[in-house]
Structures are given as structure tokens and as C-alpha cells.
Amino acid sequence: MISQLHADGTLRHLLTLAGLDRRLVEGLLERAQSYLRSPDRAPARNDSLTGLTVANLFSEPSTRTRASFELAAKRLGAEVINLHLHLSSRVKGESILDTVYTLAAMSIDVFVVRDAEPNVPQFVAENVGPRISVLSAGEAHLSHPTQGLLDALTVMRHKQRLDNRAITIVGDIRHSRVARSAVQAFTLLGVRDLRLVAPAGLMPDAAEFAGCQRFDDVDRALPGADVVMMLRIQKERMAETDIPDAASYFTRFGLSAARLKRARADAIVMHPGPMNRGVEIAEDVADGPQSVIREQVTNGVAVRMAVLEAVGRGILSSRQTR
Ligand code: NCD
């Protein structure tokens, strides 16, 4: 895989959290924290990325991720264009590169890429010029690095130390890029008690998620949990016949208020969105006092500001020296 770092160790691309240095990740999270404001204040903004142009290239639906990349870029003074493209069917052909080269000719500096097929962000990163960065905004079921960072930031803001925490992730883990990137982030930051809960058909292969405990009974995975992360069933990534019945899924795996009582009394409830209320999470839990779901969204903007700034600064400074 292409290196995500410049020769001096700073971030060039963000395609996956796998293999990143802990200090680099902690630095991004610290920077993101500095962009958080209390709700009664105006959002943080500065002009550190004035002169930079960001293109959002999304070929899968997105609400939070796309809007937050756009806001993050604009709040740092960058320009943004949004394109909804079908990239994946053409990943091996010239035409995706034509798209990228065309945009690069309009001085795009950062490509933010989401696609349903594996490898698209890497493919773009391998083929752009030396002063262009690529950020993954979700790669198939494999990776969603800024989501992993915002999930880690959200836990840190509530639980300070992470190393002695228990985190339970419930749902369609097999098809979840959110779970993969969250587990990478939590592991990097020292979390040791990671519990995965899914029906057999939605559990990932044994070779994946080494170091996590696996459960098919959610009630056994909740005692002692500091964090409960619920996931959507990724219907778009499975055959129709494999989609579980919503009512029986809720009975077996859904997070009701009664079930949440099995976790620690101060446990936080997370969900990356979009939620299916009444399928994986009850209405009153989603909107309840333990839910940090909207904070995750807020934190997403701050994390994307930190990541855009990290890659953007390098691009702008390379420009000044030429
Ligand atoms: C997720 C995604 O697209 O991977 N949403 C998000 O980015 N917040 C999760 C999902 O679609 O269920």
C-alpha cells in the first residue's frame, strides 16, 4: 500500500488508521479538541487553509460525513466542490483517473473519496501528483478512518483514560467499516476490553478483529461496559435473503432502555448514524441521557478540521517554497 506519510513523518493521505503511529493519532485528536466549542458559542474557524481547494467525490449516500468534510474545509478558509460520482465501476480503467486529472487541472489539492468498492481511495492516492492529498470518507466495508477518529475523540471526552475501559460494539460488524476503524482507533489508544456482538451471519471472519471478544448474546456483553456502540444493518452490502427481520432483530440485539441497564450506569451510547430507530436502538435510548450520538456528529467536524489542516498545511507550505 502507498505510504500515508511524507518523508518527514507528517500526514499526506488518510486512507486507513491501520499502521498509523499512536502519537500522530493523539496529535490529530488534540488538535480536534481545540476546535470544539460549547454549544452557545460560534463554531471555531480560522484561515489556515485559505488558498486550498477540496473536492468531495462521493459515490455512496452520505449525510454527516459529506456535510462535515465540507463545513470543516470551509471553516478553515478552504474552497470546496461536491461531486457525486460513480467511481468504482471504473476503478481499473482510465476514466476515474480522467476525472481526477481533470479536477487536478482546476487546482484541486485534496480529494475526499467515498466508494462502495475496496481500494478506490488508494487507487486515487497512487495516481495523483506529489502535492495532492487523498482522504478516505468510507471505503466499502473496510475503512472509515475519520469516523474511527471521531469515535475515539467522543469516548475520550467522556472517559478520559481509555486503557481501562470496556467497549461493546453491537450489530452488523461483518459489513461495518465503522467498526473496523473504531476498533483500530481504540486499540491504538490502549483499549484492551473490546467486545463484538452480532448474529452469526453478521460476525466477521475469525481472522479479523484479533484481540476482540465475540458474543452472540448482547446481554452477556454489556455488564461492565463503559461504551455501547450500536450499528446499522448494512442492507446494501448483503443479499436480500440475508437481511434479518427487524422485529426479531430488535428483540435479540436491539438496545432498549431495560437492556442498557446491564451496562455501567455511566455508560455512553454511540451510533455513527444513520439510525434505524426500533431496529438496532430504541427511540428513548437514542434520545436519552446516555446518548452521545449528536456529540459524535459535532466531533466529526472537529476531527475533519484537524485532518484537513494536517494535510493542507503541507500542501500550502510546499507551494510557498516553489
Ligand atoms: C456510516 C457509513 O457510511 O459507513 N455512516 C457514517 O459515515 N456516519 C455507517 C452506516 O452507513 O451505517
Side-chain angles (χ1 to χ4, degrees), residues 16-46:
T16 171
L17 298 178
L20 282 189
D21 179 64
R22 178 172 179 163
R23 273 165 310 170
L24 188 143
V25 167
E26 286 173 341
L28 289 171
L29 295 177
E30 255 169 56
R31 192 67 187 157
Q33 294 250 31
S34 79
Y35 283 129
L36 291 171
R37 296 286 180 272
S38 58
D40 55 334
R41 289 182 61 196
R45 59 170 74 238
N46 64 46

PDB file of all heavy atoms in Angstrom, residues 16-46:
ATOM      1  N   THR A  16      -6.453   4.820   5.911  1.00  0.00           N
ATOM      2  CA  THR A  16      -6.773   3.840   6.946  1.00  0.00           C
ATOM      3  C   THR A  16      -6.056   4.257   8.232  1.00  0.00           C
ATOM      4  O   THR A  16      -5.025   4.943   8.173  1.00  0.00           O
ATOM      5  CB  THR A  16      -6.307   2.430   6.533  1.00  0.00           C
ATOM      6  OG1 THR A  16      -6.456   1.537   7.655  1.00  0.00           O
ATOM      7  CG2 THR A  16      -4.843   2.400   6.108  1.00  0.00           C
ATOM      8  N   LEU A  17      -6.592   3.811   9.361  1.00  0.00           N
ATOM      9  CA  LEU A  17      -5.885   4.054  10.626  1.00  0.00           C
ATOM     10  C   LEU A  17      -4.857   2.945  10.886  1.00  0.00           C
ATOM     11  O   LEU A  17      -3.987   3.099  11.747  1.00  0.00           O
ATOM     12  CB  LEU A  17      -6.874   4.111  11.798  1.00  0.00           C
ATOM     13  CG  LEU A  17      -7.913   5.239  11.729  1.00  0.00           C
ATOM     14  CD1 LEU A  17      -8.869   5.154  12.927  1.00  0.00           C
ATOM     15  CD2 LEU A  17      -7.244   6.610  11.689  1.00  0.00           C
ATOM     16  N   ALA A  18      -4.951   1.846  10.141  1.00  0.00           N
ATOM     17  CA  ALA A  18      -4.023   0.725  10.358  1.00  0.00           C
ATOM     18  C   ALA A  18      -2.600   1.188  10.120  1.00  0.00           C
ATOM     19  O   ALA A  18      -2.312   1.824   9.101  1.00  0.00           O
ATOM     20  CB  ALA A  18      -4.373  -0.435   9.423  1.00  0.00           C
ATOM     21  N   GLY A  19      -1.739   0.895  11.049  1.00  0.00           N
ATOM     22  CA  GLY A  19      -0.327   1.192  10.873  1.00  0.00           C
ATOM     23  C   GLY A  19       0.058   2.623  11.246  1.00  0.00           C
ATOM     24  O   GLY A  19       1.241   2.967  11.198  1.00  0.00           O
ATOM     25  N   LEU A  20      -0.903   3.459  11.617  1.00  0.00           N
ATOM     26  CA  LEU A  20      -0.527   4.833  11.998  1.00  0.00           C
ATOM     27  C   LEU A  20       0.100   4.833  13.385  1.00  0.00           C
ATOM     28  O   LEU A  20      -0.218   4.011  14.241  1.00  0.00           O
ATOM     29  CB  LEU A  20      -1.738   5.757  11.993  1.00  0.00           C
ATOM     30  CG  LEU A  20      -2.248   6.267  10.650  1.00  0.00           C
ATOM     31  CD1 LEU A  20      -3.313   7.329  10.879  1.00  0.00           C
ATOM     32  CD2 LEU A  20      -1.137   6.826   9.775  1.00  0.00           C
ATOM     33  N   ASP A  21       0.967   5.794  13.590  1.00  0.00           N
ATOM     34  CA  ASP A  21       1.654   5.941  14.855  1.00  0.00           C
ATOM     35  C   ASP A  21       0.704   6.530  15.907  1.00  0.00           C
ATOM     36  O   ASP A  21      -0.072   7.445  15.610  1.00  0.00           O
ATOM     37  CB  ASP A  21       2.831   6.895  14.595  1.00  0.00           C
ATOM     38  CG  ASP A  21       3.621   7.152  15.841  1.00  0.00           C
ATOM     39  OD1 ASP A  21       4.210   6.186  16.342  1.00  0.00           O
ATOM     40  OD2 ASP A  21       3.632   8.309  16.303  1.00  0.00           O
ATOM     41  N   ARG A  22       0.805   6.017  17.127  1.00  0.00           N
ATOM     42  CA  ARG A  22      -0.086   6.496  18.184  1.00  0.00           C
ATOM     43  C   ARG A  22       0.048   8.001  18.412  1.00  0.00           C
ATOM     44  O   ARG A  22      -0.940   8.703  18.603  1.00  0.00           O
ATOM     45  CB  ARG A  22       0.205   5.726  19.486  1.00  0.00           C
ATOM     46  CG  ARG A  22      -0.654   6.192  20.635  1.00  0.00           C
ATOM     47  CD  ARG A  22      -0.493   5.303  21.850  1.00  0.00           C
ATOM     48  NE  ARG A  22      -1.324   5.799  22.936  1.00  0.00           N
ATOM     49  CZ  ARG A  22      -1.657   5.095  23.994  1.00  0.00           C
ATOM     50  NH1 ARG A  22      -1.257   3.848  24.124  1.00  0.00           N
ATOM     51  NH2 ARG A  22      -2.412   5.625  24.942  1.00  0.00           N
ATOM     52  N   ARG A  23       1.294   8.493  18.366  1.00  0.00           N
ATOM     53  CA  ARG A  23       1.478   9.929  18.634  1.00  0.00           C
ATOM     54  C   ARG A  23       0.851  10.801  17.552  1.00  0.00           C
ATOM     55  O   ARG A  23       0.310  11.868  17.820  1.00  0.00           O
ATOM     56  CB  ARG A  23       2.967  10.272  18.785  1.00  0.00           C
ATOM     57  CG  ARG A  23       3.438  10.086  20.231  1.00  0.00           C
ATOM     58  CD  ARG A  23       4.924  10.077  20.275  1.00  0.00           C
ATOM     59  NE  ARG A  23       5.414   9.138  19.263  1.00  0.00           N
ATOM     60  CZ  ARG A  23       6.670   9.006  18.889  1.00  0.00           C
ATOM     61  NH1 ARG A  23       7.589   9.764  19.404  1.00  0.00           N
ATOM     62  NH2 ARG A  23       7.021   8.112  17.986  1.00  0.00           N
ATOM     63  N   LEU A  24       0.905  10.309  16.315  1.00  0.00           N
ATOM     64  CA  LEU A  24       0.278  11.067  15.231  1.00  0.00           C
ATOM     65  C   LEU A  24      -1.241  11.154  15.452  1.00  0.00           C
ATOM     66  O   LEU A  24      -1.854  12.214  15.331  1.00  0.00           O
ATOM     67  CB  LEU A  24       0.598  10.402  13.891  1.00  0.00           C
ATOM     68  CG  LEU A  24       0.185  11.167  12.637  1.00  0.00           C
ATOM     69  CD1 LEU A  24       1.238  10.989  11.546  1.00  0.00           C
ATOM     70  CD2 LEU A  24      -1.157  10.730  12.103  1.00  0.00           C
ATOM     71  N   VAL A  25      -1.825  10.013  15.837  1.00  0.00           N
ATOM     72  CA  VAL A  25      -3.276   9.980  16.080  1.00  0.00           C
ATOM     73  C   VAL A  25      -3.629  10.861  17.278  1.00  0.00           C
ATOM     74  O   VAL A  25      -4.581  11.650  17.235  1.00  0.00           O
ATOM     75  CB  VAL A  25      -3.742   8.521  16.281  1.00  0.00           C
ATOM     76  CG1 VAL A  25      -5.156   8.463  16.838  1.00  0.00           C
ATOM     77  CG2 VAL A  25      -3.661   7.774  14.948  1.00  0.00           C
ATOM     78  N   GLU A  26      -2.837  10.770  18.339  1.00  0.00           N
ATOM     79  CA  GLU A  26      -3.111  11.613  19.514  1.00  0.00           C
ATOM     80  C   GLU A  26      -2.985  13.097  19.162  1.00  0.00           C
ATOM     81  O   GLU A  26      -3.753  13.926  19.655  1.00  0.00           O
ATOM     82  CB  GLU A  26      -2.169  11.243  20.665  1.00  0.00           C
ATOM     83  CG  GLU A  26      -2.580   9.924  21.305  1.00  0.00           C
ATOM     84  CD  GLU A  26      -1.598   9.414  22.351  1.00  0.00           C
ATOM     85  OE1 GLU A  26      -0.420   9.848  22.357  1.00  0.00           O
ATOM     86  OE2 GLU A  26      -2.008   8.560  23.160  1.00  0.00           O
ATOM     87  N   GLY A  27      -2.021  13.411  18.301  1.00  0.00           N
ATOM     88  CA  GLY A  27      -1.854  14.803  17.872  1.00  0.00           C
ATOM     89  C   GLY A  27      -3.085  15.301  17.113  1.00  0.00           C
ATOM     90  O   GLY A  27      -3.552  16.427  17.328  1.00  0.00           O
ATOM     91  N   LEU A  28      -3.634  14.460  16.234  1.00  0.00           N
ATOM     92  CA  LEU A  28      -4.841  14.850  15.493  1.00  0.00           C
ATOM     93  C   LEU A  28      -6.013  15.048  16.448  1.00  0.00           C
ATOM     94  O   LEU A  28      -6.799  15.993  16.316  1.00  0.00           O
ATOM     95  CB  LEU A  28      -5.202  13.772  14.457  1.00  0.00           C
ATOM     96  CG  LEU A  28      -4.280  13.635  13.244  1.00  0.00           C
ATOM     97  CD1 LEU A  28      -4.639  12.392  12.433  1.00  0.00           C
ATOM     98  CD2 LEU A  28      -4.362  14.882  12.347  1.00  0.00           C
ATOM     99  N   LEU A  29      -6.117  14.152  17.441  1.00  0.00           N
ATOM    100  CA  LEU A  29      -7.247  14.255  18.375  1.00  0.00           C
ATOM    101  C   LEU A  29      -7.115  15.490  19.260  1.00  0.00           C
ATOM    102  O   LEU A  29      -8.104  16.160  19.561  1.00  0.00           O
ATOM    103  CB  LEU A  29      -7.359  12.979  19.223  1.00  0.00           C
ATOM    104  CG  LEU A  29      -7.697  11.712  18.429  1.00  0.00           C
ATOM    105  CD1 LEU A  29      -7.710  10.485  19.345  1.00  0.00           C
ATOM    106  CD2 LEU A  29      -9.049  11.841  17.724  1.00  0.00           C
ATOM    107  N   GLU A  30      -5.900  15.805  19.641  1.00  0.00           N
ATOM    108  CA  GLU A  30      -5.684  17.031  20.436  1.00  0.00           C
ATOM    109  C   GLU A  30      -6.058  18.268  19.640  1.00  0.00           C
ATOM    110  O   GLU A  30      -6.704  19.186  20.135  1.00  0.00           O
ATOM    111  CB  GLU A  30      -4.209  17.145  20.814  1.00  0.00           C
ATOM    112  CG  GLU A  30      -3.933  16.808  22.258  1.00  0.00           C
ATOM    113  CD  GLU A  30      -2.446  16.677  22.486  1.00  0.00           C
ATOM    114  OE1 GLU A  30      -1.718  17.643  22.189  1.00  0.00           O
ATOM    115  OE2 GLU A  30      -2.031  15.593  22.948  1.00  0.00           O
ATOM    116  N   ARG A  31      -5.634  18.262  18.397  1.00  0.00           N
ATOM    117  CA  ARG A  31      -5.961  19.402  17.526  1.00  0.00           C
ATOM    118  C   ARG A  31      -7.475  19.502  17.356  1.00  0.00           C
ATOM    119  O   ARG A  31      -8.051  20.598  17.406  1.00  0.00           O
ATOM    120  CB  ARG A  31      -5.275  19.198  16.174  1.00  0.00           C
ATOM    121  CG  ARG A  31      -5.299  20.405  15.298  1.00  0.00           C
ATOM    122  CD  ARG A  31      -4.450  21.527  15.859  1.00  0.00           C
ATOM    123  NE  ARG A  31      -4.622  22.731  15.067  1.00  0.00           N
ATOM    124  CZ  ARG A  31      -4.399  23.965  15.500  1.00  0.00           C
ATOM    125  NH1 ARG A  31      -3.979  24.154  16.744  1.00  0.00           N
ATOM    126  NH2 ARG A  31      -4.582  24.985  14.708  1.00  0.00           N
ATOM    127  N   ALA A  32      -8.124  18.352  17.166  1.00  0.00           N
ATOM    128  CA  ALA A  32      -9.589  18.343  17.019  1.00  0.00           C
ATOM    129  C   ALA A  32     -10.250  18.908  18.279  1.00  0.00           C
ATOM    130  O   ALA A  32     -11.171  19.728  18.185  1.00  0.00           O
ATOM    131  CB  ALA A  32     -10.083  16.923  16.735  1.00  0.00           C
ATOM    132  N   GLN A  33      -9.754  18.499  19.441  1.00  0.00           N
ATOM    133  CA  GLN A  33     -10.318  19.014  20.712  1.00  0.00           C
ATOM    134  C   GLN A  33     -10.275  20.530  20.730  1.00  0.00           C
ATOM    135  O   GLN A  33     -11.192  21.182  21.224  1.00  0.00           O
ATOM    136  CB  GLN A  33      -9.456  18.572  21.902  1.00  0.00           C
ATOM    137  CG  GLN A  33      -9.435  17.112  22.175  1.00  0.00           C
ATOM    138  CD  GLN A  33     -10.177  16.785  23.469  1.00  0.00           C
ATOM    139  OE1 GLN A  33     -11.128  17.473  23.840  1.00  0.00           O
ATOM    140  NE2 GLN A  33      -9.765  15.735  24.140  1.00  0.00           N
ATOM    141  N   SER A  34      -9.181  21.090  20.196  1.00  0.00           N
ATOM    142  CA  SER A  34      -9.012  22.540  20.257  1.00  0.00           C
ATOM    143  C   SER A  34     -10.051  23.241  19.377  1.00  0.00           C
ATOM    144  O   SER A  34     -10.266  24.442  19.514  1.00  0.00           O
ATOM    145  CB  SER A  34      -7.594  22.934  19.852  1.00  0.00           C
ATOM    146  OG  SER A  34      -7.464  22.908  18.436  1.00  0.00           O
ATOM    147  N   TYR A  35     -10.683  22.509  18.477  1.00  0.00           N
ATOM    148  CA  TYR A  35     -11.709  23.102  17.620  1.00  0.00           C
ATOM    149  C   TYR A  35     -13.119  22.954  18.177  1.00  0.00           C
ATOM    150  O   TYR A  35     -14.082  23.421  17.560  1.00  0.00           O
ATOM    151  CB  TYR A  35     -11.643  22.484  16.215  1.00  0.00           C
ATOM    152  CG  TYR A  35     -10.506  23.024  15.388  1.00  0.00           C
ATOM    153  CD1 TYR A  35      -9.621  22.173  14.745  1.00  0.00           C
ATOM    154  CD2 TYR A  35     -10.312  24.392  15.256  1.00  0.00           C
ATOM    155  CE1 TYR A  35      -8.570  22.674  13.993  1.00  0.00           C
ATOM    156  CE2 TYR A  35      -9.264  24.903  14.507  1.00  0.00           C
ATOM    157  CZ  TYR A  35      -8.404  24.039  13.876  1.00  0.00           C
ATOM    158  OH  TYR A  35      -7.375  24.554  13.137  1.00  0.00           O
ATOM    159  N   LEU A  36     -13.254  22.297  19.316  1.00  0.00           N
ATOM    160  CA  LEU A  36     -14.596  22.126  19.894  1.00  0.00           C
ATOM    161  C   LEU A  36     -14.964  23.357  20.713  1.00  0.00           C
ATOM    162  O   LEU A  36     -14.126  23.927  21.408  1.00  0.00           O
ATOM    163  CB  LEU A  36     -14.638  20.862  20.758  1.00  0.00           C
ATOM    164  CG  LEU A  36     -14.542  19.560  19.959  1.00  0.00           C
ATOM    165  CD1 LEU A  36     -14.373  18.368  20.885  1.00  0.00           C
ATOM    166  CD2 LEU A  36     -15.777  19.380  19.068  1.00  0.00           C
ATOM    167  N   ARG A  37     -16.216  23.750  20.598  1.00  0.00           N
ATOM    168  CA  ARG A  37     -16.719  24.909  21.326  1.00  0.00           C
ATOM    169  C   ARG A  37     -17.990  24.505  22.068  1.00  0.00           C
ATOM    170  O   ARG A  37     -18.720  23.638  21.607  1.00  0.00           O
ATOM    171  CB  ARG A  37     -17.095  26.037  20.350  1.00  0.00           C
ATOM    172  CG  ARG A  37     -15.934  26.598  19.564  1.00  0.00           C
ATOM    173  CD  ARG A  37     -15.031  27.480  20.433  1.00  0.00           C
ATOM    174  NE  ARG A  37     -13.920  28.017  19.673  1.00  0.00           N
ATOM    175  CZ  ARG A  37     -12.742  27.396  19.512  1.00  0.00           C
ATOM    176  NH1 ARG A  37     -12.532  26.203  20.048  1.00  0.00           N
ATOM    177  NH2 ARG A  37     -11.785  27.950  18.801  1.00  0.00           N
ATOM    178  N   SER A  38     -18.294  25.189  23.161  1.00  0.00           N
ATOM    179  CA  SER A  38     -19.567  24.920  23.816  1.00  0.00           C
ATOM    180  C   SER A  38     -20.696  25.381  22.882  1.00  0.00           C
ATOM    181  O   SER A  38     -20.487  26.281  22.053  1.00  0.00           O
ATOM    182  CB  SER A  38     -19.631  25.624  25.171  1.00  0.00           C
ATOM    183  OG  SER A  38     -19.440  27.001  24.973  1.00  0.00           O
ATOM    184  N   PRO A  39     -21.875  24.745  23.007  1.00  0.00           N
ATOM    185  CA  PRO A  39     -22.944  24.983  22.028  1.00  0.00           C
ATOM    186  C   PRO A  39     -23.421  26.439  21.953  1.00  0.00           C
ATOM    187  O   PRO A  39     -23.985  26.861  20.946  1.00  0.00           O
ATOM    188  CB  PRO A  39     -24.093  24.085  22.522  1.00  0.00           C
ATOM    189  CG  PRO A  39     -23.496  23.149  23.505  1.00  0.00           C
ATOM    190  CD  PRO A  39     -22.226  23.733  24.007  1.00  0.00           C
ATOM    191  N   ASP A  40     -23.157  27.218  23.003  1.00  0.00           N
ATOM    192  CA  ASP A  40     -23.619  28.619  22.961  1.00  0.00           C
ATOM    193  C   ASP A  40     -22.619  29.531  22.240  1.00  0.00           C
ATOM    194  O   ASP A  40     -22.851  30.720  22.087  1.00  0.00           O
ATOM    195  CB  ASP A  40     -23.878  29.130  24.388  1.00  0.00           C
ATOM    196  CG  ASP A  40     -22.655  28.975  25.286  1.00  0.00           C
ATOM    197  OD1 ASP A  40     -21.824  28.070  25.010  1.00  0.00           O
ATOM    198  OD2 ASP A  40     -22.517  29.756  26.243  1.00  0.00           O
ATOM    199  N   ARG A  41     -21.494  28.946  21.792  1.00  0.00           N
ATOM    200  CA  ARG A  41     -20.506  29.770  21.080  1.00  0.00           C
ATOM    201  C   ARG A  41     -20.526  29.486  19.581  1.00  0.00           C
ATOM    202  O   ARG A  41     -20.972  28.425  19.153  1.00  0.00           O
ATOM    203  CB  ARG A  41     -19.100  29.500  21.632  1.00  0.00           C
ATOM    204  CG  ARG A  41     -18.911  30.062  23.043  1.00  0.00           C
ATOM    205  CD  ARG A  41     -17.518  29.815  23.541  1.00  0.00           C
ATOM    206  NE  ARG A  41     -16.503  30.448  22.705  1.00  0.00           N
ATOM    207  CZ  ARG A  41     -15.203  30.121  22.763  1.00  0.00           C
ATOM    208  NH1 ARG A  41     -14.786  29.178  23.584  1.00  0.00           N
ATOM    209  NH2 ARG A  41     -14.333  30.737  21.986  1.00  0.00           N
ATOM    210  N   ALA A  42     -20.020  30.438  18.830  1.00  0.00           N
ATOM    211  CA  ALA A  42     -19.911  30.217  17.386  1.00  0.00           C
ATOM    212  C   ALA A  42     -18.878  29.122  17.131  1.00  0.00           C
ATOM    213  O   ALA A  42     -17.926  28.981  17.902  1.00  0.00           O
ATOM    214  CB  ALA A  42     -19.470  31.512  16.711  1.00  0.00           C
ATOM    215  N   PRO A  43     -19.069  28.322  16.061  1.00  0.00           N
ATOM    216  CA  PRO A  43     -18.066  27.289  15.770  1.00  0.00           C
ATOM    217  C   PRO A  43     -16.687  27.894  15.497  1.00  0.00           C
ATOM    218  O   PRO A  43     -16.591  29.024  15.020  1.00  0.00           O
ATOM    219  CB  PRO A  43     -18.611  26.585  14.525  1.00  0.00           C
ATOM    220  CG  PRO A  43     -19.789  27.338  14.070  1.00  0.00           C
ATOM    221  CD  PRO A  43     -20.177  28.335  15.110  1.00  0.00           C
ATOM    222  N   ALA A  44     -15.655  27.102  15.812  1.00  0.00           N
ATOM    223  CA  ALA A  44     -14.283  27.590  15.587  1.00  0.00           C
ATOM    224  C   ALA A  44     -14.048  27.787  14.095  1.00  0.00           C
ATOM    225  O   ALA A  44     -14.536  27.011  13.274  1.00  0.00           O
ATOM    226  CB  ALA A  44     -13.295  26.558  16.130  1.00  0.00           C
ATOM    227  N   ARG A  45     -13.318  28.826  13.776  1.00  0.00           N
ATOM    228  CA  ARG A  45     -12.890  28.984  12.384  1.00  0.00           C
ATOM    229  C   ARG A  45     -11.582  29.754  12.330  1.00  0.00           C
ATOM    230  O   ARG A  45     -11.269  30.522  13.231  1.00  0.00           O
ATOM    231  CB  ARG A  45     -13.969  29.627  11.513  1.00  0.00           C
ATOM    232  CG  ARG A  45     -14.444  30.999  11.926  1.00  0.00           C
ATOM    233  CD  ARG A  45     -15.321  31.612  10.831  1.00  0.00           C
ATOM    234  NE  ARG A  45     -16.647  31.018  10.757  1.00  0.00           N
ATOM    235  CZ  ARG A  45     -17.165  30.428   9.679  1.00  0.00           C
ATOM    236  NH1 ARG A  45     -16.461  30.321   8.574  1.00  0.00           N
ATOM    237  NH2 ARG A  45     -18.386  29.943   9.704  1.00  0.00           N
ATOM    238  N   ASN A  46     -10.814  29.506  11.282  1.00  0.00           N
ATOM    239  CA  ASN A  46      -9.612  30.301  11.043  1.00  0.00           C
ATOM    240  C   ASN A  46      -9.314  30.252   9.545  1.00  0.00           C
ATOM    241  O   ASN A  46     -10.066  29.647   8.778  1.00  0.00           O
ATOM    242  CB  ASN A  46      -8.433  29.800  11.905  1.00  0.00           C
ATOM    243  CG  ASN A  46      -8.001  28.396  11.549  1.00  0.00           C
ATOM    244  OD1 ASN A  46      -7.851  28.067  10.375  1.00  0.00           O
ATOM    245  ND2 ASN A  46      -7.815  27.552  12.554  1.00  0.00           N
TER     246      ASN A  46
END
